[in-house]
Amino acid sequence: MLRGIDHLVIAVADLETAADELTAQVGLACTAGGRHPDAGTINRIAFLGEAYVELIAVEDEKRAANGPVGTAVLRALDASVGLATYALVDDALDATVARLQAKGRAIGPVTHGSRQRPDGEMVEWWVATLERLGIDSPPFLIRHAPVGVEWGVAAVRQRRELVHPIGSPAVLLGLAIAVSDPTAVAAEYLAQLELEFRMVDDLAVCALGPHTIRILPDHHPDMPAAIVIGAGVAAPRSVSALGLRFDIQPVSPVALGGDV
């Protein structure tokens, strides 16, 4: 029931500075965000169709350290790396988690999360995570409440049409991450989430819905991590920002009309 990448969690020390860098260097605008009252974090979001880039900063270290996502963010900040973890979207989250747990997988229970937007609206979701998250571990799973100004039907349609500073709408095409042992990490994805990768030389590749996930050896020259974005640009280009590489590829207007 996994249908693609939901969002990428990028740990930042200063939220506004990071949002400005994302706009200036990559051409993506943050148009949403808010506080996670119980998690000690605050975020800004740049939507890429239904997927999104989440810039997340820590306001309360003690509270952040109480959860797997917050711990991954703290770990990434300590290591001065950008990508902390990421999420896969699953519309049948409860059924998926029940099936995995029945098979003895280590995924935790489905829990409720929320954040408050500056306009006061609460955005809600449900997640299930492994005990440890990070780029060398499988991602967590999420399902959003499909209502409101961010996840209602009209909201999703509008952000597919959002023209970013890059000059067009933008969609997420994929993610590449570098680890010491791609084979072992891919095996963990299979063991815990039943997500299968194919090995191509020394890297692991998985096509999931509209997205491609690649796990590369950490000696690869193009790493530590790369986010692949499709936009209405004339030629491909790569830029460095927020401790990551953003690979921007030209795609057709049809491809920009929908994401996940």
Side-chain angles (χ1 to χ4, degrees):
M1 303 304 295
L2 300 175
R3 60 180 177 89
I5 295 173
D6 183 80
H7 68 281
L8 310 170
V9 181
I10 300 177
V12 301
D14 184 278
L15 201 57
E16 297 308 316
T17 299
D20 290 344
E21 183 175 349
L22 187 66
T23 299
Q25 299 298 322
V26 186
L28 300 180
C30 292
T31 58
R35 283 182 163 81
H36 306 107
D38 298 323
T41 55
I42 184 171
N43 73 359
R44 296 288 301 277
I45 288 174
F47 286 113
L48 302 171
E50 285 191 33
Y52 59 95
V53 169
E54 177 187 26
L55 308 180
I56 186 166
V58 174
E59 291 190 309
D60 185 323
E61 288 192 14
K62 185 176 180 179
R63 287 188 177 183
N66 284 334
V69 175
T71 300
V73 170
L74 289 170
R75 190 183 303 116
L77 290 171
D78 286 342
S80 299
V81 298
L83 186 67
T85 182
Y86 70 105
L88 303 179
V89 62
D90 189 334
D91 295 325
L93 180 61
D94 293 89
T96 297
V97 170
R99 185 185 73 250
L100 293 173
Q101 290 179 339
K103 294 180 178 181
R105 312 309 189 200
I107 194 162
V110 176
T111 61
H112 175 262
S114 66
R115 64 175 163 81
Q116 186 172 30
R117 290 168 43 89
D119 60 11
E121 180 176 312
M122 295 299 294
V123 180
E124 297 181 280
W125 60 85
W126 292 264
V127 299
T129 79
L130 298 171
E131 184 175 352
R132 185 188 186 279
L133 297 174
I135 62 171
D136 57 348
S137 301
F140 62 102
L141 309 182
I142 190 168
R143 175 174 66 85
H144 295 274
V147 296
V149 298
E150 289 188 20
W151 288 100
V153 173
V156 173
R157 183 185 308 115
Q158 289 173 0
R159 67 175 183 252
R160 285 181 179 143
E161 301 169 354
L162 172 68
V163 177
H164 284 273
I166 202 171
S168 75
V171 294
L172 181 66
L173 298 179
L175 171 68
I177 54 179
V179 301
S180 60
D181 189 342
T183 301
V185 172
E188 190 69 5
Y189 274 69
L190 179 61
Q192 300 302 339
L193 300 181
E194 298 184 344
L195 191 61
E196 189 168 0
F197 283 73
R198 60 186 176 89
M199 296 305 300
V200 181
D201 295 328
D202 60 350
L203 62 92
V205 181
C206 176
L208 186 61
H211 305 134
T212 299
I213 304 168
R214 297 187 300 150
I215 305 175
L216 293 80
D218 56 13
H219 61 263
H220 194 281
D222 292 335
M223 290 298 99
I227 297 171
V228 186
I229 294 169
V233 294
R237 62 187 178 92
S238 294
V239 297
S240 296
L242 305 172
L244 300 162
R245 195 182 76 240
F246 290 81
D247 292 338
I248 303 165
Q249 300 182 0
V251 295
S252 68
V254 173
L256 293 173
D259 185 20
V260 178

